[in-house]
Amino acid sequence: MESTIEYVYEQMLNRNVVVLIAVSLAVTYGLWNRRGNLPPGPWGLPYFGLVPYLLLMDWLYGLQRHEALARVAGRYGKVFSFTAFGRVVVVLNDAEAIKEAYQRREMNDRPRMKVKNHSLGKGVAFASGDCWKEQRSFSIRTLESLGAGRPVHEEKIAQEARTVLDEIASHEGKPFDPKFPMLICVSNIISTLLFSIRHEYDDDKYKAFLDMIAEITHLMGTSGAIQSAPLIKHLPLDSKKRLAEFGTTECRYMIGIIKEHRKNLDPGNPKDFTDAYLGEILAKVQSGETESHISTENLPHTLIHLYSAGTENVSTTLRWGLMYMIAYPEVQARVQEELDRVVGPNRMPQLSDEAALPYTQATILELQRFSTVAPLGAAHVSTDEFNLYGYTIPARTPVIPNTWAIHYDPKVWKEPAKFNPERFLTESNSLKGADGIVSFSAGNRICIGRHLARMEMYLLFTHLLHRFNFRKVDGSPPLDFRGHGSFARVPDLYLLRATERHQEGES
Ligand code: HEM
């Protein structure tokens, strides 16, 4: 009797195993078959696709997502596709492919992530369709009219630069962490443009707020991606809760600022971006234009996107920049020699000096390449099917650029893991083009703040190196160029010393 039951049980078990294998094969075959004319790519497990490979690469070799995907690109070339959580994702792996894909009208939308209480789908950076178009063109127009990234903005940036230099000088050559000086300086520049507010460098409450903004960026890359995946989005993950809570705090902060602006609004005379936006809402109401996305609903989100995008990437690039300067003192010395020759010790560097500083400009380009602060850029999603290099990209397919793979491609860059500004110079020491650099992405959603960012990086970097010598702290751990994060690549904590150059010279 017992053996009969065992026999039946065994048969059921065998059948279950057979059914399970058959279902897995059918799902895999189905997914593979659905690939049709998709760009080539690696096989993955049913439903999970390439995710286990990415986790394994991290676990076995400590490879971050962009590094593991770069390995796959090494095999498949400029465009490949993979599956993850039951959906197809396309990855772009050369500068031309990003330009080619992102200029398509089918490629303007963002993937939908359903994160509660956050500004996804609204504002500018996470919006799609008409809402995005209106916020984007209003933002570009208004930032331009406020002078952002134009020569008229130079003095405001230089003023903030002088303040951060004094803050650094207050450490009197002792070791310090450049994180908050860089974050507060850069956030003050964008926050003055957006809402005429700046913060002191010892404002601990503001430092906690900036930490929260950085955490949101990090969570957007992890729980944000998880949220958009079928099935997984229903799991009660702590990161999702935190993202929702932080989103609400961020939104309340902006709503408070908007309320203050409403009190003293002079629509004909906007002092900043918030005033200009409120003025535009009024104008639309007065002209009876009720369908516009320039609205009270979108304003806090557009402010959040401009503020966080305008703070994080530039300050992170400069933090990497200081790390590279202490790791490559010969590069630092050569930039300073050029600054001394062209600018001299009695004044600070200006925009008008830029053309006469090719080595400094090459160093800033190399800094953008080497730091690659947004290694996987920002995902787009196709609105309709379209053809890319003879492959079919179906509608609703997320497409991501692997900027890191492009900036570290050994076929394009000689010794890519070496910080070498000379790769951007000709034999006669003039500046070469920077075509291979795609930090700001390309096409219709190219970074709105790129002119401002370039101006900030130039003025802040040259001010820092003009006034100080930066040195590694004796006996401190080796510098780690890998950092952490795939949505925003941030350096791990490091300390450095800054000593006054011109006083040093005099003593
Ligand atoms: C080194 C500095 C910066 C880097 C590397 C950077 C990089 C990027 C990247 C990769 C994108 C995604 C583009 C795409 O979807 O294809 C982006 C978008 C954006 N950036 Fe920047 N950015 C920087 C500075 C700034 C600054 C200073 C601002 C402030 C105005 C800004 C505002 C934005 C906005 C609003 C978007 C969204 C554009 C849209 O969705 O249409 N960025 N940026």
Side-chain angles (χ1 to χ4, degrees):
M1 180 73 182
E2 201 177 306
S3 65
T4 317
I5 292 173
E6 261 176 24
Y7 174 77
V8 172
Y9 185 71
E10 230 170 59
Q11 289 308 307
M12 278 169 62
L13 211 80
N14 285 347
R15 251 178 237 160
N16 283 346
V17 172
V18 170
V19 169
L20 205 72
I21 292 173
V23 168
S24 298
L25 284 175
V27 172
T28 313
Y29 178 76
L31 271 175
W32 190 253
N33 227 14
R34 273 210 333 248
R35 296 180 67 101
N37 187 32
L38 276 171
W43 274 78
L45 292 181
Y47 182 67
F48 295 102
L50 204 65
V51 176
Y53 165 82
L54 297 176
L55 294 174
L56 210 65
M57 286 293 110
D58 181 10
W59 187 58
L60 289 178
Y61 307 111
L63 288 189
Q64 294 160 349
R65 253 181 307 155
H66 50 273
E67 292 169 317
L69 289 173
R71 282 202 177 184
V72 180
R75 175 140 180 238
Y76 292 98
K78 62 183 170 190
V79 48
F80 72 83
S81 64
F82 67 93
T83 61
F85 300 120
R87 66 171 52 182
V88 172
V89 179
V90 170
V91 189
L92 308 168
N93 304 295
D94 80 16
E96 264 324 299
I98 298 187
K99 288 171 196 161
E100 180 65 29
Y102 281 4
Q103 50 136 5
R104 303 293 302 247
R105 64 160 181 80
E106 296 91 345
M107 273 274 71
N108 289 342
D109 279 11
R110 291 273 185 239
R112 279 173 61 184
M113 293 189 239
K114 294 187 186 70
V115 183
K116 270 190 209 144
N117 289 337
H118 201 62
S119 64
L120 295 168
K122 299 185 194 130
V124 58
F126 290 102
S128 296
D130 290 343
C131 176
W132 162 71
K133 264 189 213 151
E134 255 191 281
Q135 307 302 312
R136 183 174 170 99
S137 74
F138 178 82
S139 301
I140 292 174
R141 214 170 52 240
T142 307
L143 286 173
E144 263 177 32
S145 72
L146 292 166
R150 293 173 155 221
V152 285
H153 197 201
E154 174 171 12
E155 181 42 33
K156 285 237 172 81
I157 298 181
Q159 213 176 323
E160 196 59 53
R162 290 193 290 273
T163 317
V164 79
L165 295 185
D166 289 344
E167 160 64 19
I168 291 173
S170 74
H171 293 279
E172 296 175 331
K174 296 191 193 84
F176 74 100
D177 174 4
K179 176 179 146 182
F180 282 115
M182 290 302 106
L183 262 174
I184 296 181
C185 170
V186 176
S187 82
N188 277 344
I189 296 169
I190 187 76
S191 132
T192 303
L193 279 165
L194 296 177
F195 14 81
S196 309
I197 293 177
R198 64 173 298 285
H199 293 266
E200 296 305 324
Y201 286 80
D202 58 357
D203 185 339
D204 289 334
K205 227 171 127 191
Y206 188 58
K207 287 182 189 172
F209 182 74
L210 288 171
D211 268 339
M212 187 197 75
I213 301 285
E215 175 84 7
I216 292 178
T217 311
H218 171 68
L219 290 172
M220 292 292 280
T222 50
S223 96
I226 285 169
Q227 277 280 36
S228 68
L231 300 185
I232 296 221
K233 69 183 177 197
H234 301 295
L235 293 180
L237 297 174
D238 183 53
S239 57
K240 282 162 56 176
K241 209 172 120 224
R242 275 187 299 147
L243 187 55
E245 275 170 19
F246 291 167
T248 309
T249 309
E250 201 180 30
C251 208
R252 282 206 192 111
Y253 175 83
M254 297 303 166
I255 289 171
I257 289 174
I258 297 165
K259 271 192 187 149
E260 283 306 306
H261 275 65
R262 277 190 200 279
K263 285 184 195 160
N264 312 306
L265 184 66
D266 175 1
N269 212 1
K271 64 182 174 307
D272 52 32
F273 186 94
T274 310
D275 269 2
Y277 199 108
L278 286 171
E280 184 82 356
I281 296 177
L282 271 181
K284 299 235 181 246
V285 171
Q286 278 160 7
S287 68
E289 204 183 321
T290 50
E291 300 293 298
S292 174
H293 294 281
I294 300 294
S295 62
T296 313
E297 194 198 2
N298 274 307
L299 174 55
H301 304 292
T302 296
L303 289 178
I304 288 172
H305 296 164
L306 288 166
Y307 171 77
S308 41
T311 297
E312 285 286 321
N313 287 332
V314 175
S315 61
T316 306
T317 306
L318 290 166
R319 270 163 76 196
W320 280 118
L322 290 176
M323 185 197 269
Y324 304 149
M325 290 305 100
I326 61 178
Y328 292 88
E330 68 285 3
V331 174
Q332 178 176 184
R334 211 170 141 188
V335 172
Q336 288 167 331
E337 178 277 317
E338 193 177 59
L339 288 171
D340 289 348
R341 187 161 34 82
V342 175
V343 179
N346 300 322
R347 66 171 179 89
M348 297 311 282
Q350 294 167 354
L351 280 184
S352 53
D353 298 315
E354 198 175 6
L357 297 167
Y359 188 79
T360 306
Q361 288 190 68
T363 305
I364 295 172
L365 285 177
E366 178 68 342
L367 166 53
Q368 286 172 66
R369 183 195 72 85
F370 210 60
S371 63
T372 309
V373 293
L376 292 176
H380 293 209
V381 71
S382 53
T383 44
D384 297 297
E385 181 178 300
F386 73 99
N387 187 291
L388 181 69
Y389 299 125
Y391 301 116
T392 305
I393 312 293
R396 311 309 312 160
T397 304
V399 177
I400 52 175
N402 191 341
T403 311
W404 192 87
I406 297 165
H407 286 175
Y408 280 78
D409 184 349
K411 293 193 286 304
V412 177
W413 312 96
K414 197 177 155 205
E415 295 185 276
K418 195 174 164 210
F419 188 88
N420 177 18
E422 290 194 43
R423 66 175 86 247
F424 291 104
L425 292 175
T426 62
E427 272 179 16
S428 59
N429 272 346
S430 46
L431 199 66
K432 274 190 207 161
D435 287 350
I437 302 278
V438 280
S439 315
F440 297 111
S441 188
N444 302 331
R445 283 197 95 131
I446 190 170
C447 173
I448 283 179
R450 62 196 184 284
H451 304 300
L452 171 62
R454 286 199 192 103
M455 193 164 152
E456 287 178 309
M457 286 190 289
Y458 166 76
L459 284 172
L460 295 173
F461 185 72
T462 53
H463 272 61
L464 287 162
L465 263 67
H466 182 271
R467 177 149 166 196
F468 298 110
N469 276 324
F470 292 97
R471 291 196 191 105
K472 189 170 178 291
V473 176
D474 291 340
S476 59
L479 295 164
D480 179 0
F481 289 163
R482 296 190 65 237
H484 53 274
S486 271
F487 194 53
R489 204 170 83 87
V490 179
D492 295 337
L493 170 74
Y494 72 96
L495 303 181
L496 77 172
R497 288 179 192 276
T499 46
E500 302 266 3
R501 291 186 62 231
H502 300 297
Q503 275 179 20
E504 265 181 0
E506 283 155 22
S507 62

